[in-house]
Structure formats: structure tokens, C-alpha cells
Amino acid sequence: MSPKLSSPLALSFGIHIVLAVVLLWGDFSTPPKPTPSALPMEPIQAVVIEKSKVDAQINKIKKQMADEAQKLKDIENSIAAAKEKRRKEEQRIKNLERERKQKAQDKKAADIAAKKAKAKANAAEKLRKQKELENKQADEAAAKAKRIKEEQAAKKAEDLRKKKVAERKRQAEEDRERAASQKLLEQQMAEEMASRQQARRQQMMTEIGRFTALITQTIKRNLITDRSTMEGKSCKLTISLAPSGFVTNVVTGQGDRRVCEAAKTAVYKAGTLPVSKDPEIFREMRTISLTVAPDKFN
């Protein structure tokens, strides 16, 4: 409470308290008894106040006191409310100031964070661009290396193809030359073989002719017949021989019967005819055919 307000209120309150005490403790209903005195005195005229008036006065004072107290209380409440309002206002101002400072700090921190984030983003962007440039350069280098490698591979493949073509041509030429040489050689060999075969055949035929003549002479030696009666007659014989010259079979063919019988008997009589020891010549004369004409034998 303000000192300016407390002094009058306290004075007023004190006066009313004193008045109340006097009214309450004073007895105005019964006149005071005369005090015995040796000396006669004149009677004192006392003022008699009615109790209802006193009570009314007391109630009035009480009411005034209650009103004053209520006013005092209202004033105190107003003062307390004003203090509380001022305290709240001061607290609100402090809170606003604290909020302002906090916002300023937050803004400063946000600005710093934003600057850091921006710097980080710039660094990241710079790194991204550097990485992108490096990747681009790497891709270009890889593409160039791949292109060079492909060109080298294509050139190598083309060289290999040309080499293979040349090799095929050379091989074909060699094959043609080899084939021509082989054909010529085979032709020469064939001619040589034919010549040899012909010579061999000629030799074999000569040998076969010689052994045929020997066989004919053997048959002549063993032929028993009257040649005069067989003049102009003959018989064809087919004689089968073993490798030793042993006669295994005689077949008479076209000719005179008596000449055939006589020739057949002469062959069997000989039993073994002269044959070549050469297996190839013997194969040619294993079965030999000849014509027996007795009048032509010398």
C-alpha cells in the first residue's frame, strides 16, 4: 500500500476504534450514584441517553468502520491487482524480451546454419560438378579407348581376313600345283604301271605260251593214235591243274570224238604237266585251254 494512503486510513481507523471503545464501555443507562459525602452538595443533573440510540450510533459506527474496512480492502485489492497487473506486465515484457532475444539467437543460429548449409551445398555442387566433369572425361577416355580398340580389332580382323584370303589363294595355288603334280605323277605312274603291266603281261603271255607249248609236247608224247586217220581233225581241251602241275580235271570240248578221247587219255597218262613256279603266271594257267591237232604235231 502507498504511504500516502495508509496514514489517513490509519488515523481514521484509530479514531473510530477509540470512539467505539468509549461507547461500548461507557454506561449511560443508569444515573451515577451519589457518593456519600460529609458535605452536602447540590445534585448534579445527568444527561440520560437512550440505549437504542446508543446502539444505533454504535451500529452506525460499526457500519462506517465496516464500510471503511471494505473500502480499505477494496483499495488494497485494487493495489494488489495493480501490483499483479504490473508484475504480469513486467513479466510479459521480460518474456517478450526473452522471446525477442531467443528469436534473435534462433535467427542468428538459423542464419549461421543457413550459411553453413549454403556453403555445404555449394561445396557439394562444386564436388558434383567436378565429379560430373571427371565422369565425363572418364567416359570420353573410355569411349576413345574403346573406339581405338575397336579400330585396332577391326584392322587386325581385316589383316587376318586378308592374310587368310592370301593363304587360301596360296593354298589353292599349291593345291592346284600339287594336284597337277599328283595328276602328272599318277599319269606317269599309270603309264609306268601300264608299261610294266604290259611288259609283265607280255612276259606272262610268253611264259604261258612257253608252258602251253611244253604241255602240248607232253600230250604229244603220250598221244597214241593213228595220225593218218586224224588228218585235219582236232579237239579242244580244258585242263585244270594244281600248283604242282598235277592234272585235276580234263574237259573235252568241240572236236573229233576219237581225237578228244585220245587227247584226254594222253593228259591223264602224263599225270603232271609242266607249270610255272610264279604264282601270278600259275593263276593265269590254272585252267588252261588248248586245241589238240595230231596231224600238226611234228
Side-chain angles (χ1 to χ4, degrees):
M1 181 183 295
S2 174
K4 293 181 179 181
L5 294 176
S6 61
S7 296
L9 289 174
L11 181 61
S12 175
F13 187 71
I15 294 171
H16 284 86
I17 292 297
V18 171
L19 183 60
V21 169
V22 172
L23 292 175
L24 290 174
W25 290 99
D27 186 5
F28 299 98
S29 60
T30 303
K33 295 179 179 182
T35 303
S37 176
L39 296 177
M41 294 181 67
E42 291 182 0
I44 298 172
Q45 294 180 354
V47 178
V48 179
I49 301 173
E50 294 182 359
K51 188 178 183 300
S52 59
K53 290 182 178 180
V54 173
D55 291 339
Q57 186 65 30
I58 291 172
N59 290 334
K60 183 177 179 181
I61 293 171
K62 288 181 178 181
K63 185 176 183 303
Q64 290 177 352
M65 291 177 66
D67 291 340
E68 290 294 331
Q70 183 64 40
K71 288 180 180 179
L72 182 61
K73 186 176 181 179
D74 292 341
I75 292 171
E76 290 176 349
N77 290 337
S78 297
I79 293 171
K83 285 184 177 181
E84 180 66 18
K85 182 177 181 182
R86 186 177 66 185
R87 185 188 66 79
K88 290 183 177 179
E89 182 64 19
E90 291 176 352
Q91 185 64 37
R92 186 181 70 81
I93 293 173
K94 288 181 179 180
N95 292 338
L96 290 174
E97 181 64 17
R98 185 167 56 251
E99 289 178 0
R100 185 189 66 75
K101 290 181 179 181
Q102 185 64 40
K103 287 182 179 179
Q105 292 178 355
D106 293 342
K107 184 177 182 301
K108 184 177 180 180
D111 292 341
I112 294 173
K115 289 181 179 179
K116 289 182 178 180
K118 185 176 180 180
K120 187 176 180 180
N122 291 336
E125 179 65 15
K126 184 178 180 180
L127 181 61
R128 185 191 67 79
K129 289 182 178 180
Q130 180 66 26
K131 190 68 175 178
E132 183 178 355
L133 179 60
E134 292 176 355
N135 291 336
K136 183 179 179 181
Q137 292 175 347
D139 292 341
E140 290 176 351
K144 184 178 180 180
K146 182 180 179 182
R147 185 175 66 256
I148 293 173
K149 186 176 181 180
E150 289 176 349
E151 289 175 353
Q152 291 176 347
K155 185 177 183 301
K156 185 176 180 180
E158 180 63 17
D159 293 342
L160 182 60
R161 186 189 66 80
K162 290 179 179 179
K163 184 177 179 180
K164 286 183 177 180
V165 170
E167 181 64 20
R168 283 197 297 268
K169 289 181 179 180
R170 185 187 64 78
Q171 188 66 38
E173 185 64 25
E174 288 182 358
D175 290 343
R176 283 194 296 270
E177 292 178 358
R178 189 181 298 109
S181 298
Q182 183 67 23
K183 185 177 181 181
L184 180 60
L185 179 61
E186 289 177 356
Q187 184 177 356
Q188 291 174 351
M189 289 178 64
E191 291 176 355
E192 180 69 21
M193 183 63 69
S195 177
R196 290 183 180 183
Q197 287 179 351
Q198 185 176 2
R200 176 61 174 168
R201 188 66 181 171
Q202 185 66 37
Q203 180 187 2
M204 288 175 62
M205 294 305 295
T206 301
E207 284 293 303
I208 291 172
R210 186 172 70 84
F211 280 102
T212 301
L214 292 174
I215 291 171
T216 301
Q217 291 176 4
T218 301
I219 294 172
K220 175 183 177 182
R221 286 194 303 268
N222 292 287
L223 184 64
I224 302 174
T225 182
D226 186 0
R227 295 183 182 182
S228 61
T229 61
M230 296 182 182
E231 186 179 355
K233 296 178 181 178
S234 64
C235 179
K236 187 175 182 179
L237 298 178
T238 299
I239 304 169
S240 297
L241 300 171
S244 63
F246 180 75
V247 178
T248 59
N249 191 28
V250 179
V251 177
T252 58
Q254 186 179 3
D256 182 76
R257 181 180 62 81
R258 288 179 300 172
V259 175
C260 289
E261 289 296 331
K264 185 176 182 181
T265 300
V267 172
Y268 279 119
K269 184 179 179 181
T272 301
L273 299 176
V275 293
S276 175
K277 300 300 182 181
D278 189 332
E280 189 176 1
I281 295 174
F282 174 74
R283 281 196 298 271
E284 293 293 330
M285 59 180 298
R286 173 179 292 175
T287 302
I288 187 171
S289 298
L290 52 82
T291 301
V292 176
D295 62 341
K296 294 182 178 180
F297 292 162
N298 297 323

